[in-house]
Amino acid sequence: MTYARDVVALARKDLLLELRARDTLPAMLLFVVSTFVVFHFAVGSSPSRLAANGLLWVAIVFTALLGLGRAFVPEREQRTLDGLVLAPVDRSTIWVAKSIAALAFLGAAEVVALPVYGLFFHRLSGSAVAGVVLADVGICAVGAFLGAIAVATRARDLLMPLLFLPLAIPIVVGGVGASVAASPGRYLGFLVLYDALFSVVCWATFEFVVTE
Amino acid sequence: MGRSYRIPLPALAASAFVLVTLAIAMVFFVAPNDADQGFSQRIFYFHVSIAITAYACFAGGAWKAFRHLTRRDPRYDLESYVAVHQGVILGVLVLLTGSIWAKISWGHWWLWSEDQLVLFLVLFLFYCAYFMLRFSVDPGPQRANLSAVYALFGVVLIPVSFAAIRLAKNLIHPVVFTLQGPRFGGWILVTYCVAQAAMLVLAYTLYRVELAGKLLDSRLRELREVLA
Amino acid sequence: MLRASGIGKRFGERRVLRGVDLDLARGGFLVVTGPNGSGKTTLLRICAGLARPTEGELEVEVGRGEVGYLGHDPLVYRELTALENLDLYGRLYRVPERRERVGMLLERFGLWEARHDRVGSYSRGMTQRLALCRVLLHDPALLVLDEPYTALDAEGAVLLDAQLEELRAERALLVSTHDPERVERFATAHLGLAAA
């Protein structure tokens, strides 16, 4: 399938760019661990399970934000987006590839961050990890899309959290629910629904973000 | 271009005036006093009808945004913007009236357990970001596209956020949802319907006035350019 | 191949292009000249499909994949090597026998030795040569070149001359320049834009 081949070619490029520039992933890692430490001093040494889970989700959303805000910055600075837009590929592949790259960075940061969280605060349940994985998909899909919008504006870095956080509220609800509820099934289902719904909207409208 | 068979503005303004007057009169003199909350419960008629009207504005804005994306006509961009703008102003009113209602009913200015209030807070934040986005891009096709896409996100966000808020409430203290709200019937229903109609017509009138002003502005600019 | 009648472009209230007519067929070589701010770049972006005219009619008879556009920016990634950049574009444009074609172009534009170097370490002239490789990679039927001689040294300019000479019979070219003398011998038509 040519769509998948284009996505692979573009995602490979995005990962390669990060590998060369190495500015996003280390920043995300450092940020998420620092956030945990700050939280420890903000809430004391033994916060309730609910509070600690809240911390985890705030940390995930803001860490993701850090990476997603930069997703389209290289394209913007070197104006390479024009090159991709000119190519005879479905424009939504650009968004899919960016989302995949963002997911890879966020996933890599979490591979470190979740065990650290377990060490500092509480051990995470299986459903909490499932919630994190499902939430990551939605965060990266919506975040990469909004990153493309944000780089087209003058305010850029300032705008990204403003655009993203209202849309991240349902993700946080689903994620916290999956982490602490006695029956996390409906929260996981809600996250799946969110991912599906917003992915379709992003996929259908991305063309308009990068063209006139 | 736009529809040519629009209701003339003066007729619209007149009917808005009549309906709003009628609604105010009915809310204060016709609707019965609430058994629990007494006279002040009457703010409900405004609160709910403004909220529904705000939703209508957001939906209208998204519809115009969709039309812009399919037709790429800058006129739809303007219409979408004006509709969302109205929605946000009404949204602020919903937050204010809701807050007053919460104070009257429960003694607190803010209640996280009030779904509609929380949802409007989320939507308020979302649409404020819409304005920030618009002000941060130079006028032109790109701004129109970005605004339209974000406005479309809004109509997806409304039901999703609503579901999320319900889910979150369930998490903190499980509640059983029933459809037995305050009994809806007789003069209460009639008064509510009149108030709702008044708000919708008023919002549409203001939308048309704002739009007419903006269109006049841009025509004037075009004319000036031709003369220059 | 490319026909425009009365196209214009405005960004909000700012008008950058007004009432341009042009007709470019296979074998045509249209030279666009005009002072700074006359809308040359905007016109070329419209013709390449990167922007839409706000008025007038534009007919482009070739698909997106058959247009080669050279803009002010090279549209290559500075962190990637020349080879990686061209490989990416080769994949996206579905260039047959990609490796051979990329190698041939790099060789022709004198970049073969530097093919494993990051583009960020290239001089401006080398980057422009790489941009030309990118434009020619998928053997486009319509070439839209915005100031192609910019930053090229004498040798690079001669290379470009040879390319244009080779291409002009079978392709359609739309070239903007500040130095019309340079491309005078290829030109089949001229379009002078006035300051907006």
Side-chain angles (χ1 to χ4, degrees):
Chain A
M1 221 182 119
T2 55
Y3 192 91
R5 273 220 305 275
D6 295 337
V7 169
V8 170
L10 289 166
R12 218 175 62 110
K13 175 263 299 174
D14 288 325
L15 293 172
L16 209 55
L17 284 179
E18 170 57 22
L19 213 63
R20 298 276 160 79
R22 279 199 211 101
D23 44 23
T24 309
L25 189 52
M28 286 168 83
L29 266 175
L30 206 58
F31 179 81
V32 72
V33 176
S34 319
T35 310
F36 287 156
V37 176
V38 169
F39 280 160
H40 164 75
F41 289 104
V43 299
S45 52
S46 53
S48 74
R49 228 171 94 79
L50 203 64
N53 263 292
L55 306 185
L56 173 68
W57 281 94
V58 171
I60 287 177
V61 166
F62 281 92
T63 306
L65 204 46
L66 202 64
L68 291 164
R70 289 206 56 84
F72 277 90
V73 169
E75 311 280 357
R76 183 69 181 180
E77 278 171 357
Q78 302 172 34
R79 298 182 186 281
T80 41
L81 207 50
D82 280 351
L84 304 183
V85 167
L86 281 168
V89 298
D90 189 324
R91 268 84 179 235
S92 64
T93 54
I94 303 170
W95 161 74
V96 177
K98 280 287 182 219
S99 305
I100 290 174
L103 197 57
F105 304 147
L106 186 58
E110 282 167 354
V111 163
V112 177
L114 294 187
V116 169
Y117 173 86
L119 195 69
F120 287 180
F121 302 102
H122 294 276
R123 272 196 53 196
L124 285 167
S125 63
S127 63
V129 176
V132 171
V133 172
L134 286 175
D136 285 354
V137 174
I139 288 173
C140 291
V142 173
F145 189 93
L146 297 177
I149 291 184
V151 293
T153 67
R154 283 187 303 264
R156 281 208 220 170
D157 301 347
L158 202 62
L159 204 56
M160 181 62 191
L162 300 181
L163 294 175
F164 179 71
L165 288 176
L167 285 158
I169 291 170
I171 297 182
V172 171
V173 170
V176 171
S179 316
V180 299
S183 54
R186 56 194 302 192
Y187 294 97
L188 293 175
F190 177 71
L191 285 173
V192 171
L193 187 75
Y194 181 97
D195 294 353
L197 211 54
F198 276 97
S199 296
V200 169
V201 178
C202 291
W203 170 78
T205 54
F206 188 75
E207 163 118 27
F208 300 104
V209 175
V210 291
T211 59
E212 283 197 348
Chain B
M1 286 283 137
R3 285 160 294 166
S4 50
Y5 50 88
R6 297 192 159 198
I7 310 164
L9 207 47
L12 212 53
S15 49
F17 178 75
V18 170
L19 272 169
V20 170
T21 316
L22 183 65
I24 291 174
M26 285 186 79
V27 166
F28 286 110
F29 302 114
V30 178
N33 250 353
D34 185 79
D36 296 336
Q37 297 166 20
F39 183 79
S40 41
Q41 183 265 351
R42 287 163 204 261
I43 196 169
F44 145 88
Y45 296 105
F46 294 113
H47 176 69
V48 176
S49 59
I50 294 172
I52 300 282
T53 311
Y55 285 131
C57 287
F58 293 140
W63 167 243
K64 294 293 184 185
F66 178 75
R67 297 272 287 173
H68 169 76
L69 293 182
T70 50
R71 297 284 197 80
R72 301 193 191 254
D73 183 343
R75 192 196 162 99
Y76 290 121
D77 172 53
L78 188 64
E79 292 182 346
S80 171
Y81 168 69
V82 171
V84 170
H85 194 181
Q86 298 259 311
V88 170
I89 294 169
L90 292 171
V92 173
L93 286 177
V94 172
L95 287 175
L96 285 176
T97 53
S99 185
I100 293 169
W101 194 15
K103 177 72 183 166
I104 293 163
S105 308
W106 296 282
H108 295 284
W109 290 108
W110 185 257
L111 276 176
W112 286 106
S113 59
E114 269 304 286
D115 294 349
Q116 182 134 298
L117 222 48
V118 179
L119 179 55
F120 264 92
L121 182 61
V122 173
L123 291 181
F124 178 70
L125 294 175
F126 177 86
Y127 284 106
C128 282
Y130 170 91
F131 288 120
M132 295 284 287
L133 170 63
R134 249 189 114 82
F135 296 145
S136 184
V137 186
D138 290 324
Q142 192 178 35
R143 184 178 78 172
N145 278 359
L146 298 181
S147 311
V149 166
Y150 203 64
L152 277 180
F153 267 60
V155 282
V156 182
L157 185 68
I158 292 173
V160 169
S161 287
F162 187 71
I165 289 163
R166 286 246 153 149
L167 275 173
K169 202 158 90 171
N170 222 7
L171 189 69
I172 296 159
H173 44 83
V175 271
V176 185
F177 296 113
T178 60
L179 286 171
Q180 278 179 342
R183 206 71 40 87
F184 233 48
W187 282 113
I188 296 182
L189 186 64
V190 174
T191 308
Y192 167 71
C193 287
V194 172
Q196 184 66 73
M199 276 304 154
L200 285 170
V201 173
L202 180 65
Y204 185 63
T205 309
L206 292 175
Y207 165 79
R208 287 280 302 275
V209 170
E210 176 91 1
L211 203 59
K214 290 234 152 90
L215 282 176
L216 197 66
D217 251 18
S218 69
R219 292 236 176 88
L220 203 65
R221 259 184 239 116
E222 265 167 51
L223 212 62
R224 207 177 283 152
E225 193 195 336
V226 170
L227 291 174
Chain C
M1 191 168 291
L2 184 70
R3 199 170 300 116
S5 57
I7 58 168
K9 174 89 179 166
R10 40 194 295 172
F11 292 98
E13 291 147 40
R14 200 161 49 88
R15 175 175 290 283
V16 287
L17 196 67
R18 185 197 299 254
V20 174
D21 301 303
L22 61 87
D23 191 351
L24 185 62
R26 195 172 285 272
F29 192 115
L30 177 64
V31 178
V32 182
T33 50
N36 290 333
S38 59
K40 292 195 297 291
T41 294
T42 305
L43 176 65
L44 264 61
R45 283 177 66 86
I46 290 173
C47 292
L50 276 173
R52 265 166 208 267
T54 41
E55 57 230 45
E57 299 283 323
L58 177 70
E59 262 180 81
V60 186
E61 280 161 22
V62 291
R64 226 196 304 159
E66 294 172 89
V67 179
Y69 170 72
L70 179 76
H72 287 231
D73 300 294
L75 307 187
V76 289
Y77 295 91
R78 294 163 52 82
E79 287 85 8
L80 302 186
T81 67
L83 211 52
E84 286 164 343
N85 268 300
L86 293 184
D87 189 67
L88 170 68
Y89 280 110
R91 283 170 197 271
L92 297 183
Y93 279 93
R94 307 192 170 87
V95 174
E97 288 162 17
R98 194 173 65 240
R99 266 167 244 273
E100 289 73 14
R101 177 112 185 120
V102 168
M104 188 271 284
L105 282 167
L106 285 174
E107 194 108 47
R108 182 179 297 178
F109 281 92
L111 294 172
W112 181 251
E113 303 300 318
R115 67 190 182 281
H116 290 303
D117 297 344
R118 288 190 200 180
V119 177
S121 69
Y122 278 21
S123 68
R124 275 194 67 204
M126 286 167 83
T127 313
Q128 182 74 354
R129 289 185 192 202
L130 180 61
L132 283 165
C133 292
R134 195 207 83 235
V135 173
L136 298 170
L137 184 61
H138 54 288
D139 197 16
L142 169 66
L143 284 110
V144 179
L145 310 177
D146 197 356
E147 312 266 1
Y149 288 92
T150 307
L152 289 181
D153 56 9
E155 190 198 349
V158 169
L159 280 168
L160 179 56
D161 283 343
Q163 274 299 329
L164 294 180
E165 179 68 48
E166 188 188 317
L167 290 166
R168 65 182 177 135
E170 290 296 312
R171 313 284 187 280
L173 286 106
L174 182 61
V175 180
S176 83
T177 180
H178 276 306
D179 179 20
E181 313 259 299
R182 177 102 217 173
V183 289
E184 192 49 49
R185 60 205 164 103
F186 307 124
T188 61
H190 293 268
L191 176 67
L193 294 177

